[in-house]
Amino acid sequence: MNILLYAVPAAAAVALLFAFIKARGIARRDEGEPGMAEIAHAISEGADAFLKSEYKLLLIFIAIVFAGIWLGLGSITTAVAFLVGALFSVLAGYFGMKVATRANVRTANAARTGGINEALRVAFSGGTVMGMCVVGLGLIGASILYIITENGDVLTGFSLGASSVALFARVGGGIYTKAADVGADLVGKVEAGIPEDDPRNPATIADNVGDNVGDVAGMGADLYESYCGSILASAALGAAAYMAVPEMAIKAVLTPMLIAALGTILSLLGVYAVRVKRGASQTELMAALNRGINLSSFLIAIASAFLLQLIGLDNWAGIWGAIVTGLAVGIVIGKSTEHYTSHDSYPCRKIAHSAKTGPATVIISGIGIGMISTCIPVITVVVGTVLAYGLASGDWHFTGAEMSKGLYGIGIAAVGMLSTLGLTLATDAYGPISDNAGGNAEMSKLDPEVRRRTDALDALGNTTAATGKGFAIGSAALTALALLASYIEELKISILHWSEATGNTIYKINDAVSVEVSKISTASLSDFMGYFQVTLMNPKVLMGLFVGAMMSFMFCGLTMNAVGRAAEKMVKEVRRQFKEIKGILTGEAEPDYVRCVEISTAGAQHEMIWPSVLAVITPICMGIVFGVPGVFGLLAGGLASGFVLAVFMANSGGAWDNAKKYIEQGHVGGKGSESHKAAVIGDTVGDPFKDTSGPAINILIKLLSMVSIVFAGLIVNYAIL
């Protein structure tokens, strides 16, 4: 075992210790006035109640999959790794959410007593805890499992556990938060004409709870899954690329873990670069957050070159180039997202001005801008993929001679892109904390200047959240490409195990083609694809492509309809309370907040099951019916359609949201105007786009791959066609 491997859990331990210290620092801060603490407590209780209910359902799902892997595939090691991955994913989301619910009231108080710089420090510290918990738990779980077993296959089960929990957390949290948000906006802001987060709105507490369970716990589990998936894919491809040289293969497996560990340590330095002066503008706030990310990216780009030389990996310069490519892809996608979603940008202002002619033109404009916004991320990923492949393999003509090394480079690019995740997630998670701080300020009836400060942080948070979603989607595309190759390697292993179990040395691919197991197990990627006829001319592949493309739209449709049904119940409840509880709108009676929290919780629990289960069973069914070619088509179709659709939905939703905030700052008629009401409708349409369906797609495209990899043995043994 290479001694360098032990640096990985050490770096993870440093990240977790740092998160603990930051969490203690937040807890020691003053909560402010008693009313502020009371509101924060209600939000925390609602978030805890939802997560406990969600985890009960997750426990059943985890138990079923655990049994399926253990008993169905006969692999207790993979089953245990799945369990550990799922548990750590739950912990990452839970710890981040707990700190976020504590940080929101303290951010509001900091804005009240210390100004915008102090408020930024508190909110960003809360986000930092989330970021460091995710990378720390991901690294320590994967590395310790590998150290104990010395088997890279355990990382597959670990990543499947992470992906499964992430999908439930993202979908369930997204449905919860958007049901509450839509109900609060449509009835409160549009119909009743009261401000956002007004204590007279019965859905206000549920809306603030949703920010924590969806945008903090859900996002944490989401990026935890991306992080683990990129490490797994790269490790598996490294083993395959250097199979002929066992010593080099071990180094190739260790490299992605060590890069991630290096990124974790250097991200800690970037945290301290996030500073602003008192009374900072929106531009200065954004520059402060970018400064931290850019510093960490620069340091990783430099330090990784020395690390690769120390590891002694073959073609270290090319691999280093792939890392830098991944970092560059992440930055470009982030800047592109910022351009299309920032409330200071032309696209958002264009949407805001379209509100003069009503909600229809707002929606049309937002959809159009969202579609156009897919261009830069797609081109960036294409260029990044070409560069990573060419640099790692040296095969710039793409002859396939060094395909394994080229695909390894793509996986390493994904790891490089996510190497700053601790800091990137901190800038993302700080947004919902700032949003909750504004809600607390409004409900506590603090000085309007406090709400102005928190709104400035919140508007910035909408942009960073959209950037984080774009970042996650971009990394998902690179990781999914690498996972396609990992699927081939797992199929080889499964066929070899089948041969050992049955004593057969010939594997029947179909009625016309049979191949010696020895040839399959040592075949290049190109030869393997040839054996199984994975070409566009194979109807099985084409059918898989269609089903994969359909899956993205089906998944979005199911989750958006789920938000719609839950939101309908919330709208009816808020209207009922306004009608039946006399004195709510005059401030003489208190709304029934608990009932709205219960509606969002029940709706999310019920609605999240079918989309999540569908994502798990589809690749298994596709594999059993159409075999390996059908699965390849499914994964390719899901990746292509899912990536573009996710970018479109995330950017449209973010642009609608910040267009509304631009109007609320006094432009195009300001708050309460007809333009503002139209923008609120657009924002309401965009809510499930950006916070439910869009972000969940990046988990979907990787979960399809992870399920296919884990259950490759089932497809090898029982494929019908």
Side-chain angles (χ1 to χ4, degrees), residues 345-582:
S345 67
Y346 170 76
C348 268
R349 293 186 178 186
K350 183 177 182 296
I351 295 174
H353 284 282
S354 72
K356 295 176 182 178
T357 50
T361 48
V362 170
I363 293 169
I364 292 170
S365 182
I367 289 175
I369 285 172
M371 288 180 172
I372 293 171
S373 75
T374 63
C375 180
I376 294 176
V378 169
I379 292 174
T380 301
V381 168
V382 169
V383 172
T385 300
V386 170
L387 289 174
Y389 184 100
L391 288 166
S393 67
D395 180 18
W396 291 100
H397 296 288
F398 304 99
T399 62
E402 296 287 347
M403 185 180 291
S404 294
K405 291 184 179 180
L407 291 170
Y408 179 61
I410 295 173
I412 288 293
V415 175
M417 187 176 179
L418 288 168
S419 60
T420 59
L421 180 61
L423 189 56
T424 304
L425 187 52
T427 63
D428 190 347
Y430 118 97
I433 294 173
S434 301
D435 190 6
N436 267 205
N440 193 297
E442 185 77 41
M443 296 186 73
S444 304
K445 300 179 181 179
L446 301 181
D447 188 286
E449 176 62 17
V450 178
R451 183 60 195 258
R452 187 194 68 77
R453 293 167 182 170
T454 59
D455 278 352
L457 295 177
D458 183 29
L460 181 63
N462 285 331
T463 302
T464 60
T467 302
K469 293 179 180 80
F471 190 81
I473 294 163
S475 67
L478 291 175
T479 301
L481 282 170
L483 285 172
L484 279 171
S486 298
Y487 177 54
I488 293 177
E489 298 306 322
E490 191 62 34
L491 284 170
K492 289 180 180 180
I493 295 170
S494 297
I495 292 172
L496 188 61
H497 288 168
W498 168 85
S499 177
E500 292 171 350
T502 62
N504 293 323
T505 58
I506 304 294
Y507 183 74
K508 183 180 178 182
I509 294 175
N510 53 48
D511 290 337
V513 180
S514 297
V515 183
E516 293 180 17
V517 172
S518 59
K519 289 184 178 181
I520 293 178
S521 61
T522 58
S524 66
L525 293 178
S526 298
D527 290 338
F528 189 90
M529 301 284 274
Y531 290 150
F532 283 87
Q533 299 175 320
V534 183
T535 71
L536 288 177
M537 294 298 100
N538 188 342
K540 296 179 185 179
V541 177
L542 289 173
M543 286 184 284
L545 283 169
F546 280 117
V547 173
M550 177 269 298
M551 276 293 297
S552 300
F553 287 88
M554 172 71 80
F555 189 79
C556 286
L558 289 171
T559 51
M560 289 186 71
N561 282 335
V563 170
R565 285 190 293 269
E568 284 176 14
K569 296 176 183 177
M570 186 65 71
V571 166
K572 291 177 181 178
E573 175 60 21
V574 176
R575 286 173 176 170
R576 183 194 68 79
Q577 291 196 33
F578 281 156
K579 182 180 179 180
E580 297 181 6
I581 304 177
K582 305 300 181 183

Side-chain angles (χ1 to χ4, degrees), residues 606-654:
H606 175 73
E607 299 286 359
M608 74 178 181
I609 297 174
W610 177 234
S612 302
V613 171
L614 184 66
V616 174
I617 64 174
T618 299
I620 297 175
C621 294
M622 199 71 189
I624 290 175
V625 177
F626 296 109
V628 172
V631 174
F632 265 103
L634 173 76
L635 300 181
L639 170 59
S641 67
F643 175 52
V644 178
L645 189 58
V647 173
F648 154 65
M649 299 188 82
N651 287 350
S652 284

Side-chain angles (χ1 to χ4, degrees), residues 262 266 295-309 316 320 323-324 327:
L262 177 67
L266 295 179
L295 175 62
S296 293
S297 298
F298 175 76
L299 292 174
I300 291 168
I302 300 300
S304 59
F306 294 98
L307 175 65
L308 290 170
Q309 291 184 67
W316 70 266
W320 177 75
I323 294 172
V324 174
L327 286 167

Side-chain angles (χ1 to χ4, degrees), residues 578-600:
F578 281 156
K579 182 180 179 180
E580 297 181 6
I581 304 177
K582 305 300 181 183
I584 287 183
L585 291 175
T586 60
E588 298 172 340
E590 185 173 293
D592 185 357
Y593 300 120
V594 174
R595 178 57 187 155
C596 291
V597 170
E598 290 173 348
I599 289 174
S600 274

